[in-house]
Amino acid sequence: MKTFALSRNTGPGTPDVAGFFDPRTFSIQYVVSDPATRQCAIIDPVHDFEEKSGATATHHADEMLAYVKEQGLEVQLILDTHPHADHFSAAQYLKEKTGAPTAIGDQVVEVQKLWKTLYHWPDFPADGSQWDRLFAEGDTFRIGELEARVMFSPGHTLASITYVIGDTAFVHDTLFQPDFGSARADFPGGDAHQLWRSIQAILALPDETRLFTGHDYMPDGREPQWESTVREQRETNKHLVGVPEEEYVAMRNERDSELPMPKLILHSLQVNIGGGRLPEPEADGKRYLKIPLDALEGASWE
C-alpha cells in the first residue's frame, strides 16, 4: 500500500508537498516546503493511538521528522486545519521536538465551548490559548518565501479552515477525492449548507490549484490517493457535478443520518481541543481519557 508521495513544486513561489498516509485512521499528514529556503510547515500531524490497549506512540510524527532531517528542512509552523474527530493531533509533540509554533483557525474557541460542556469540564480554558496563533479568514503568513493565506471553510466542523500555499490548498475534510465525494456535516456544530458554500469557495480557486485532502477511504479497494486539482473536482466529483445546493444538502443530510460516529471521536476531541496535549498524568503516573456516556447520537449497534 502506498503510504508516501511527493508532489513537486510547479515553479517559483510554489511548494513541494510530501504526503504521509496513515492506514489506521485513513489520514494524510503533510510536510509543505519552500524549495528556495528549505523552510517548511507540517499540516495535520497524527499522534498514534491504539484504542483496544490504550497505547500511544509517535511513529507517524517521527516519520515526518526523519523526512525533515533527511531533506535538510527547518520547521517554521505546525498547522491543524480543525480539531480532528478520528485521530489525536501530534501538534504539541512536534512543537516540543522542533520549537516551531502551532496554529489553527480562531473559531476553534467555539468548538472548545461546545465540547467542554459535553466533557463536563467547567474549568477548561475555551480561549484558544493552547495554540500559539489563531488564524482568521483572510489572514496571511509565509513559509520561507512562499505566500500563504487562510480560508474559513466551515461545515464539516465549526472551525475548519483551508490553507492556500502557493498553488496548493489543503482542504482538510471538506472535499475528498472525486470518486469519494465530500465530508459529512453531522458532527456537533456541522452544517451541510455551510459545507456547500465552503466547497464552492474552494472550487473558485484557479483550475490548476493542487488540492490535498485530509483523508482517503480507498473506494473499491484502490490505492490511497490524496491529490487532485480544482478542475478535476469541479468536473468529476461524484457529489458535486450537476448538483445544486438544495439537492446537495438533502443528499448530505440523508447520507450522514446513516453513518455511525467515528470510533475515536470521544477519545480524540478531548486531546485535540487542547492543541494535541495528552491528559496530564494523575497521582499514579498514568494518563486517563474521559468518555461521556450517551452524549452523542449515531450509535452503531452492529
Side-chain angles (χ1 to χ4, degrees):
M1 178 186 295
K2 179 181 75 172
T3 59
F4 173 82
L6 178 61
S7 179
R8 290 288 187 184
N9 71 90
T10 59
T14 66
D16 291 333
V17 179
F20 299 79
F21 180 70
D22 171 20
R24 286 182 59 83
T25 63
F26 307 99
S27 305
I28 303 97
Q29 315 160 90
Y30 295 100
V31 176
V32 187
S33 58
D34 175 17
T37 65
R38 313 306 295 166
Q39 300 287 314
C40 73
I42 293 175
I43 300 180
D44 287 340
V46 172
H47 194 128
D48 304 296
F49 173 64
E50 203 288 300
E51 68 276 11
K52 296 183 182 68
S53 66
T56 64
T58 58
H59 303 309
H60 284 90
D62 290 336
E63 182 183 8
M64 286 193 295
L65 289 176
Y67 174 83
V68 165
K69 182 178 180 181
E70 175 188 289
Q71 297 297 314
L73 303 175
E74 180 181 356
V75 181
Q76 267 191 305
L77 287 166
I78 301 161
L79 308 172
D80 270 312
T81 54
H82 65 292
H84 306 278
D86 41 24
H87 66 80
F88 293 179
S89 169
Q92 183 62 25
Y93 171 77
L94 290 171
K95 178 181 177 178
E96 293 168 359
K97 289 294 184 180
T98 67
T102 59
I104 200 169
D106 62 358
Q107 293 303 302
V108 73
V109 171
E110 300 305 316
V111 178
Q112 289 179 318
K113 291 176 182 177
L114 189 158
W115 282 90
K116 73 176 286 184
T117 300
L118 286 171
Y119 288 121
H120 190 58
W121 283 347
D123 298 327
F124 180 84
D127 57 6
S129 60
Q130 298 85 355
W131 290 267
D132 297 300
R133 183 171 180 182
L134 299 181
F135 286 120
E137 163 71 29
D139 278 355
T140 60
F141 60 99
R142 286 182 174 272
I143 301 169
E145 297 176 356
L146 298 174
E147 295 183 356
R149 65 182 175 93
V150 173
M151 295 172 60
F152 182 41
S153 302
H156 175 62
T157 76
L158 282 166
S160 299
I161 59 175
T162 294
Y163 294 107
V164 181
I165 304 170
D167 71 335
T168 68
F170 295 84
V171 299
H172 53 91
D173 299 355
T174 293
L175 282 171
F176 296 128
Q177 290 300 95
D179 60 349
F180 198 81
S182 62
R184 63 193 297 170
D186 63 324
F187 293 163
D191 182 272
H193 283 285
Q194 285 190 328
L195 181 60
W196 168 265
R197 291 190 286 271
S198 295
I199 289 171
Q200 299 312 305
I202 291 167
L203 296 184
L205 294 169
D207 281 356
E208 299 312 313
T209 302
R210 292 178 284 162
L211 301 182
F212 294 93
T213 63
H215 293 278
D216 186 63
Y217 297 102
M218 300 175 285
D220 299 319
R222 64 156 170 75
E223 281 287 289
Q225 300 174 6
W226 48 84
E227 179 180 354
S228 62
T229 66
V230 166
R231 186 194 306 276
E232 290 169 347
Q233 291 283 356
R234 189 187 302 119
E235 294 180 352
T236 65
N237 187 291
K238 64 183 292 184
H239 288 171
L240 303 175
V241 176
V243 178
E245 179 175 357
E246 292 305 321
E247 184 178 334
Y248 173 82
V249 169
M251 176 279 297
R252 189 70 269 167
N253 288 338
E254 180 180 0
R255 181 178 173 85
D256 291 350
S257 70
E258 300 172 351
L259 297 175
M261 284 288 123
K263 64 181 179 179
L264 296 184
I265 186 170
L266 294 173
H267 306 71
S268 61
L269 262 299
Q270 62 192 282
V271 171
N272 295 340
I273 63 171
R277 291 168 177 81
L278 297 176
E280 289 297 318
E282 298 191 10
D284 61 356
K286 295 184 174 64
R287 303 174 190 267
Y288 294 87
L289 294 172
K290 183 176 184 179
I291 305 296
L293 302 182
D294 300 317
L296 298 176
E297 297 180 357
S300 177
W301 296 95
E302 295 181 0

